[in-house]
Amino acid sequence: MRDKQKAVRVGIVGLGTVGGGAFRLLSENADEIARRTGRPIVVSHVGARRDNPQCLTGSVRVSRDVFDVVHDPDIDIIVEVMGGTTTAREVVTQAILQGKHVVTANKALLAEHGNEIFALAEKQGVYVAFEAAVAGGVPIIKVLREGLAANRIEWLAGIINGTGNYIMTEMLEKGRDFYEVLKEAQSLGYAEADPSFDVEGTDAAHKLTILASLAFGIPLQFKKVYTEGITRLTAEDVAYASELGYHIKHLGIARRTQQGIELRVHPTLIPEARLISNVHGVKNAVLVVSHPVGPTLYYGAGAGAGPTASAIVADLVDVARAMAEGAGSRVPHLAFQPDALDDTRVLAMDEVCTAYYLRLQANDRPGVLAEVTRILSQHGISIEAILQKAAHAAGRVPVILLTKVVQEAAMNAAIAEIEALEDILDHVVRIRLENLDA
Ligand code: NDP
Ligand code: HSE
């Protein structure tokens, strides 16, 4: 083995929550890491435009211009943890062109520009490792690329945004205010620099893009993900769902069907008995159903300095081991050989088939429900359950319906007709429902 005892030199670009966490972890667990790697991993250069009071860099060289780190000839691996898709893209591209390996937590960058980045890395013979990009400390990338390599993956569904799950849990279990909890998630280091990415579903869509590529061997196609966030969820719907035996979770779902691949992120009713239904707080979980192993579930902290640093450092260990072996890329970046990626179509949302929770506000008059069920039936939609609540003071009756599986296009048409009825007040609330039975 080459260079067994020579330290691997790392440059960290961005010294915020994740960069600071990785810096500290490499020092705290240095001995254990060296025992696993066969040689020490040391941070020898940091790029940060200001100091991080939670991360004392001591004698390590710090540059205010992040490109000084990228161009440092002594660095073997660049850890890109600055975020964003402009400067970060340049940092990663420059690092690859100089023959440096890259470890990144930047799911936005990979979901939007990963196809070119991985192609360049393969050409230059370097690794771009990204375990931290999805589900924080849960090693789901390794699972999909290596652990399940013998399987044909049919579908996966995940709670893949820690901030969103934390907000939903605090609001629903403790009745706290949305913005107060969001602020707390930011101060705990869970949220994205732009927290609308967390609450509007963009971050989960970035992660789902990556998971779907690894699961099905397709190129990264972020723009084709249907995305809905959690900002319109109400405590009322959560309570009604619970009466019917369901929890509402914000899920990313990727499914192979005969017509094409579903890629969607939205709030989802899930039977409360499912394990994934009981994943709360900042925890993430990904349920993967594949043949022949069947369902497997991966759970753990989805955000924060320690869990994300765990994933970053695990990637550093992997890359350092591979450097010592002098081997070529051990595992393809997107799990499948680059020339074996296929172009299976991604379905538009109105082609997707799922079940639904509908909540209507109806005038308290005879025959209204009959009208609603007639419209549903005309569109081939079967009802699974109906819950009619006591009339509000103004004579408005909340009606909750659960439907069987139907194509979204039929549901869109039915909702438009129901909303046009004189006795239906307000918009119909629609939340998709998945039984997640394997
Ligand atoms: P932070 O905002 O805490 O840290 C980002 C750091 O990068 C800051 O130090 C920031 O400096 C620096 N930075 C950003 N742009 C530049 C620039 N142009 N030049 C120099 N420095 C720059 O973010 P996180 O650590 O939370 O996230 C980093 C990455 O990790 C993101 O891609 C994020 O999506 C990902 N990630 C985050 C997780 C988490 O739990 N926080 C989990 C998994 C992935 P300054 O402070 O001056 O702005
Ligand atoms: N903002 C992200 C989240 C960080 O809350 O899940 C982890 O990717």
Side-chain angles (χ1 to χ4, degrees):
M1 290 191 195
R2 281 196 285 127
D3 290 344
K4 253 288 183 140
Q5 294 307 320
K6 199 175 153 216
V8 172
R9 288 144 313 176
V10 170
I12 297 183
V13 175
L15 200 63
T17 301
V18 179
F23 186 97
R24 288 191 301 270
L25 181 56
L26 281 166
S27 153
E28 281 162 20
N29 284 0
D31 291 346
E32 203 71 352
I33 291 164
R35 284 177 63 213
R36 291 181 191 272
T37 311
R39 52 186 179 158
I41 298 179
V42 296
V43 179
S44 52
H45 200 162
V46 168
R49 56 187 170 196
R50 61 193 163 116
D51 295 334
N52 176 349
Q54 264 139 34
C55 184
L56 303 174
T57 44
S59 59
V60 173
R61 184 176 168 202
V62 179
S63 294
R64 295 299 175 210
D65 180 349
V66 291
F67 289 95
D68 288 350
V69 185
V70 177
H71 293 117
D72 182 339
D74 290 334
I75 297 294
D76 302 304
I77 309 174
I78 293 289
V79 175
E80 183 279 303
V81 277
M82 62 193 297
T85 53
T86 47
T87 311
R89 184 181 182 185
E90 197 51 32
V91 162
V92 168
T93 304
Q94 290 296 326
I96 294 171
L97 286 172
Q98 291 184 39
K100 295 187 199 312
H101 305 291
V102 174
V103 171
T104 180
N106 194 335
K107 53 268 175 164
L109 178 67
L110 295 181
E112 294 180 31
H113 303 291
N115 294 321
E116 309 98 80
I117 288 171
F118 293 136
L120 185 63
E122 271 139 29
K123 191 165 156 220
Q124 297 295 117
V126 298
Y127 312 106
V128 175
F130 54 97
E131 185 62 68
V134 183
V138 183
I140 188 66
I141 304 295
K142 195 153 207 101
V143 163
L144 291 176
R145 286 207 307 202
E146 300 179 50
L148 295 177
N151 286 262
R152 175 181 163 89
I153 296 175
E154 298 301 338
W155 58 266
L156 60 84
I159 295 170
I160 46 180
N161 183 266
T163 302
N165 205 39
Y166 183 75
I167 293 173
M168 283 168 71
T169 306
E170 292 291 308
M171 279 175 70
L172 304 172
E173 285 185 0
K174 302 184 191 159
R176 295 180 63 196
D177 171 72
F178 182 95
Y179 291 100
E180 176 198 315
V181 188
L182 173 57
K183 264 193 162 172
E184 186 175 280
Q186 288 178 290
S187 71
L188 290 167
Y190 300 159
E192 294 303 298
D194 175 353
S196 75
F197 277 41
D198 295 290
V199 298
E200 297 296 355
T202 313
D203 179 71
H206 284 143
K207 292 166 176 166
L208 187 72
T209 302
I210 296 170
L211 293 180
S213 286
L214 300 175
F216 306 133
I218 55 173
L220 296 149
Q221 298 169 78
F222 167 65
K223 290 199 174 128
K224 295 190 182 159
V225 182
Y226 173 82
T227 306
E228 256 182 45
I230 59 169
T231 49
R232 280 176 290 157
L233 265 187
T234 65
E236 196 182 0
D237 290 313
V238 172
Y240 291 148
S242 175
E243 270 188 63
L244 291 159
Y246 294 85
H247 289 167
I248 301 182
K249 290 289 170 191
H250 192 229
L251 286 190
I253 299 171
R255 193 191 310 265
R256 223 193 262 266
T257 72
Q258 286 195 332
Q259 290 69 39
I261 288 172
E262 295 177 6
L263 291 181
R264 50 194 171 107
V265 167
H266 50 69
T268 313
L269 270 78
I270 317 171
E272 63 193 8
R274 299 274 179 269
L275 284 175
I276 196 169
S277 206
N278 296 288
V279 170
H280 301 306
V282 73
K283 295 292 194 293
N284 281 192
V286 183
L287 171 61
V288 184
V289 175
S290 55
H291 177 78
V293 71
T296 52
L297 179 67
Y298 308 90
Y299 167 84
T308 313
S310 158
I312 295 270
V313 174
D315 273 348
L316 285 170
V317 169
D318 254 5
V319 175
R321 283 172 174 157
M323 283 166 62
E325 297 297 333
S329 184
R330 217 165 40 90
V331 187
H333 286 108
L334 290 176
F336 292 74
Q337 296 300 329
D339 61 0
L341 295 185
D342 75 32
D343 58 357
T344 308
R345 194 168 72 90
V346 175
L347 299 178
M349 193 58 201
D350 62 5
E351 297 176 279
V352 164
C353 292
T354 179
Y356 294 84
Y357 160 105
L358 304 177
R359 174 166 59 81
L360 332 169
Q361 295 283 354
N363 274 326
D364 191 8
R365 287 212 196 119
V368 181
L369 200 50
E371 278 290 280
V372 170
T373 53
R374 177 188 57 77
I375 292 172
L376 290 174
S377 144
Q378 278 176 349
H379 288 277
I381 302 170
S382 304
I383 296 169
E384 181 76 38
I386 298 186
L387 184 64
Q388 181 169 339
K389 306 301 290 183
H392 290 165
R396 292 166 158 231
V397 188
V399 178
I400 294 90
L401 295 142
L402 300 187
T403 76
K404 297 203 167 162
V405 173
V406 58
Q407 190 173 333
E408 179 114 347
M411 182 53 79
N412 291 341
I415 287 178
E417 283 180 38
I418 292 170
E419 286 179 342
L421 292 174
E422 204 177 317
D423 284 317
I424 295 297
L425 312 156
D426 300 337
H427 286 294
V428 172
V429 172
R430 160 236 307 258
I431 307 176
R432 297 169 186 90
L433 183 157
E434 292 286 338
N435 277 308
L436 300 186
D437 42 357

